[in-house]
Amino acid sequence: MRLIKHPVLCNYYVTYRCNATCNFCDIWEKPSPYITFQNFRENLHDLKKLGVKVIDFTGGEPLLHRELDVLLEEAKKASMITTVTTNCLLYPKYAERLKGKIDMLHFSLDSPDEEEHNVSRGVKCFDKVMESITIAKAIGERPDVLFTVFEQNVDKIERIWREITQPNDLVLILNPVFDYNSVQTGGSLSEQSLKQLQWWGKQKNVYLNEAFISLRKNGGNHVDNPVCKAASTTLVISPENKLVLPCYHLGTKDFAINNNLYELYQSAEVQEIVALEGRLKECEGCVINCYMQPSFAVEINKYFWKALPSTLKYNYIKSTWKKLI
């Protein structure tokens, strides 16, 4: 049973440019402009009209956009929930400007070992993550640590938790890696690794959407009975001010927005693509977390019930912390 029939999330790519060269991502390889404030403000009006509640300011590295704080402030004025994930290279420089404007601030960290993390990111940024944690806490922010889990680093979860997130009273978000298009990341985690993830997801201040694990055990999305609701739950806007469908990672079609996002999304051509969400041949076996997360939240099925406890846990942790500051 579908609970919500309108888009709830916008993945807004402020730029594809990045100051890291992660070996599990190809976004940084793309030439890219930066979004303009004018286009954003026009689209924001239509996003709200379409029912979107959350805007993920993403990239690339979103902090490369010099007006990110202005964009965030505009989104907050529109009562949007905001989220930003950063590699932290620029956070110390912009922390004060961003203060209070990001509801869900994520710092990416893939290993407690400096060299290992820097190698995976293709740039020296481990020390910047540590510095950013200190700065964020000093100004009253409470970032989450986003740990992308590979087969080769799953055994490092305990050290991240004991040495970094627990001492700083931060949430550790476990993000199982996934393959997409030509980017092969080793996304097929072993049964043993999935069991470890499930166990860690139940520990204090650790968030793991357990529906991610169930989906992988079931072979991912199946085109004959799709769980993915990417195109109907999530709007993807590119730095070129285009609506990308059915999702960023497939990106089989894009449409110039031209200050008519609401009408464009409601158009017959776009809705034809929306109707194919999860049913394209490329969708078979898909386990891309950033689209499954909202998919699990809008329809009552077995994944909805698997996802619910972890979602309530995360919201409780964050709301409890807010009451303390």
Side-chain angles (χ1 to χ4, degrees):
M1 181 176 71
R2 187 72 179 252
L3 294 173
I4 302 172
K5 296 183 179 180
H6 59 77
V8 295
L9 167 68
C10 176
N11 288 338
Y12 213 125
Y13 286 82
V14 298
T15 184
Y16 292 145
R17 298 185 188 192
C18 193
N19 48 8
T21 56
C22 301
N23 55 26
F24 53 89
C25 175
D26 67 349
I27 295 176
W28 55 269
E29 298 176 2
K30 299 181 178 182
S32 173
Y34 295 93
I35 67 169
T36 69
F37 176 75
Q38 182 62 31
N39 284 340
F40 176 75
R41 186 165 58 179
E42 292 165 353
N43 293 335
L44 180 61
H45 176 269
D46 284 356
L47 288 172
K48 193 172 180 68
K49 191 174 177 181
L50 286 165
V52 169
K53 304 295 184 184
V54 182
I55 300 181
D56 178 23
F57 291 84
T58 187
E61 169 53 49
L63 270 64
L64 283 172
H65 197 297
R66 295 183 180 179
E67 291 185 300
L68 181 62
D69 59 319
V70 179
L71 301 174
L72 286 162
E73 187 172 354
E74 196 74 8
K76 294 304 294 177
K77 287 179 183 177
S79 301
M80 292 288 184
I81 297 170
T82 58
T83 176
V84 171
T85 301
T86 176
N87 59 32
C88 292
L89 283 169
L90 292 172
Y91 184 78
K93 180 178 180 180
Y94 295 121
E96 284 289 347
R97 285 169 54 178
L98 299 173
K99 177 183 175 182
K101 298 173 183 176
I102 305 172
D103 296 300
M104 290 178 282
L105 175 61
H106 304 322
F107 291 168
S108 295
L109 184 65
D110 304 329
S111 174
D113 297 315
E114 181 174 359
E115 183 177 357
E116 184 176 41
H117 176 72
N118 291 344
V119 168
S120 76
R121 296 281 162 171
V123 65
K124 292 182 178 180
C125 57
F126 180 90
D127 59 338
K128 287 295 184 181
V129 178
M130 298 300 103
E131 181 185 358
S132 294
I133 290 173
T134 301
I135 291 172
K137 290 184 63 181
I139 62 175
E141 300 281 64
R142 195 190 192 193
D144 302 323
V145 171
L146 181 66
F147 183 91
T148 300
V149 183
F150 302 85
E151 191 69 25
Q152 63 267 30
N153 73 352
V154 67
D155 61 335
K156 302 293 178 71
I157 295 173
E158 182 172 4
R159 284 188 55 205
I160 287 275
W161 185 72
R162 291 192 183 280
E163 298 174 14
I164 298 173
T165 60
Q166 278 297 96
N168 287 290
D169 195 25
L170 303 180
V171 173
L172 173 60
I173 297 178
L174 299 178
N175 177 45
V177 71
F178 51 82
D179 295 332
Y180 65 94
N181 297 340
S182 61
V183 180
Q184 300 299 306
T185 61
S188 299
L189 295 169
S190 68
E191 184 70 23
Q192 180 61 31
S193 293
L194 294 178
K195 286 181 180 179
Q196 288 188 61
L197 284 173
Q198 283 183 296
W199 186 86
W200 274 110
K202 295 177 173 59
Q203 305 313 303
K204 181 181 179 182
N205 285 1
V206 178
Y207 170 77
L208 168 73
N209 190 324
E210 191 158 336
F212 291 163
I213 307 302
S214 296
L215 182 68
R216 287 169 183 253
K217 289 183 175 180
N218 293 332
N221 179 77
H222 296 297
V223 297
D224 58 343
N225 185 24
V227 64
C228 178
K229 306 297 179 188
S232 61
T233 63
T234 307
L235 296 179
V236 177
I237 299 178
S238 76
E240 296 85 6
N241 201 34
K242 294 181 179 180
L243 179 65
V244 181
L245 291 162
C247 66
Y248 166 79
H249 293 84
L250 288 185
T252 57
K253 186 77 174 178
D254 58 45
F255 300 85
I257 292 175
N258 295 327
N259 194 22
N260 69 337
L261 178 60
Y262 182 83
E263 291 79 9
L264 175 61
Y265 184 75
Q266 302 286 359
S267 69
E269 189 174 6
V270 166
Q271 287 303 307
E272 283 179 12
I273 300 175
V274 171
L276 293 173
E277 60 186 0
R279 298 182 184 278
L280 299 170
K281 69 180 189 310
E282 297 89 351
C283 300
E284 182 63 32
C286 178
V287 293
I288 298 177
N289 306 328
C290 43
Y291 297 102
M292 296 304 172
Q293 181 102 10
S295 297
F296 298 153
V298 300
E299 188 169 68
I300 295 182
N301 53 30
K302 60 184 178 182
Y303 296 111
F304 173 89
W305 295 113
K306 282 285 186 180
L308 185 60
S310 52
T311 301
L312 293 175
K313 175 185 177 181
Y314 178 82
N315 290 340
Y316 175 77
I317 294 170
K318 301 299 279 190
S319 64
T320 300
W321 178 78
K322 286 181 179 178
K323 292 177 182 177
L324 297 176
I325 60 174

